[in-house]
Amino acid sequence: MLICRDLPSLRAATAALRGNGRRLGLVPTMGALHDGHLALLGAARAAGAGAVAASIFVNPLQFNANDDLARYPRDETGDLNKLRGAGCDLVWLPPVEAMYPPGSASVIEVAGPSKGFEGDARPGHFRGVATVCAKLFLQSSADIAAFGEKDWQQLQVVRRMARDLDIPIHIEAVPTIREVDGLAMSSRNRFLSAAERATAPVLYQVMQDVVRVIAADGAVAQVLAEGEARLIAAGFAPDYLALVAAETLEPLQQKTTAPMRLLAAARLGAVRLLDNIAVPA
Ligand code: PAF
């Protein structure tokens, strides 16, 4: 497994991996890897990548005062071992100065799907995500990039950005990997106390119940309000529980025949849990 820490060596390595028409897959990460990340490597291969790279970069541009950049978990040695075990061909580990050299002055602003939800909760977050993902795509020349559906809004923002900027990359969406009790895997789950960890799966249970009622033509506003009330009763502080159009994230007051998604964000103690599930028409 090759490890690159500067752009010239990354470009040379990706050019070699893309030789003989081989397609390169990229899994962008911020490290603290879990099985959900490793599933992305397999998904990139299944989508046609003959070689797979992962990037590990805790992107300062996507953190703001509400997030804690310093607290973000880091485990470079553990991550490299996991990637090696998963058959990763190349790891891009840029220092901050390689990603944002002094004088960097360009950012990418994606309107549309960045609006609302995480865009409201974390102002500037999607500007940082779109900017770093555009840079990662261009730096690596990857043909395929795999993103988890767990961060549904991020997935839509990245898709929109790649389409709008004509970056020739296929974005492969990979279903959320869950713990056996249904909790969506996340690097932040490690900050849950034992009691919070026991409560955390309630979020997914409530979401499944809400989706069942909506699919059976229940009144959307009422079922969402009841879902939030159940979350509060279980000890969560919900930020939102919303029915949206799957691609544009336009909030929906009633069920449609176009693809829909139920989005949720709720704090449990100091940890903010995010989840989403498809809503059948
Ligand atoms: O989902 C993440 O880990 C990050 O937002 C990403 C896509 C790697 C960009 O920094």
Side-chain angles (χ1 to χ4, degrees), residues 151-169:
D151 293 304
W152 185 262
Q153 190 171 10
Q154 164 172 284
L155 173 64
Q156 305 315 317
V157 168
V158 170
R159 277 217 163 113
R160 187 74 259 166
M161 176 277 290
R163 220 180 288 156
D164 290 351
L165 299 183
D166 303 316
I167 301 181
I169 192 163

Side-chain angles (χ1 to χ4, degrees), residues 47-281:
V52 183
S55 59
I56 301 177
F57 180 63
V58 182
N59 176 28
L61 212 60
Q62 69 187 74
F63 287 78
N64 58 35
N66 302 333
D67 304 316
D68 193 348
L69 174 62
R71 216 170 77 101
Y72 199 82
R74 291 164 210 249
D75 176 17
E76 185 179 306
T77 310
D79 289 345
L80 291 176
N81 285 336
K82 287 178 190 159
L83 290 171
R84 209 172 277 115
C88 185
D89 298 290
L90 165 69
V91 185
W92 173 218
L93 258 167
V96 174
E97 319 76 71
M99 191 60 80
Y100 303 118
S104 279
S106 305
V107 291
I108 293 174
E109 195 76 59
V110 181
S114 295
K115 227 178 76 196
F117 309 108
E118 293 311 290
D120 286 346
R122 304 160 78 185
H125 171 68
F126 288 123
R127 182 187 312 128
V129 170
T131 303
V132 82
C133 287
K135 289 180 70 100
L136 291 168
F137 296 169
L138 297 170
Q139 291 165 342
S140 66
S141 302
D143 304 283
I144 298 166
F147 285 83
E149 289 185 349
K150 155 88 172 34
D151 293 304
W152 185 262
Q153 190 171 10
Q154 164 172 284
L155 173 64
Q156 305 315 317
V157 168
V158 170
R159 277 217 163 113
R160 187 74 259 166
M161 176 277 290
R163 220 180 288 156
D164 290 351
L165 299 183
D166 303 316
I167 301 181
I169 192 163
H170 164 75
I171 308 294
E172 180 71 10
V174 184
T176 302
I177 305 292
R178 298 183 181 278
E179 305 288 355
V180 281
D181 58 11
L183 175 65
M185 286 192 186
S186 163
S187 305
R188 291 184 157 106
N189 291 350
R190 68 189 68 191
F191 295 127
L192 293 167
S193 69
E196 289 161 355
R197 177 63 191 83
T199 303
V202 172
L203 177 61
Y204 183 52
Q205 289 157 17
V206 168
M207 292 175 74
Q208 285 177 304
D209 292 345
V210 167
V211 164
R212 260 192 295 273
V213 178
I214 293 175
D217 291 326
V220 171
Q222 187 186 331
V223 70
L224 293 176
E226 285 167 4
E228 285 210 19
R230 273 181 67 193
L231 290 174
I232 292 166
F236 291 86
D239 274 353
Y240 54 80
L241 180 65
L243 180 70
V244 300
E247 192 175 330
T248 62
L249 279 92
E250 284 298 329
L252 299 172
Q253 311 311 324
Q254 57 194 36
K255 189 175 136 170
T256 63
T257 49
M260 296 172 284
R261 212 81 193 172
L262 181 71
L263 305 183
R267 274 184 197 283
L268 193 53
V271 181
R272 193 158 171 277
L273 298 176
L274 278 190
D275 206 341
N276 69 88
I277 48 179
V279 182

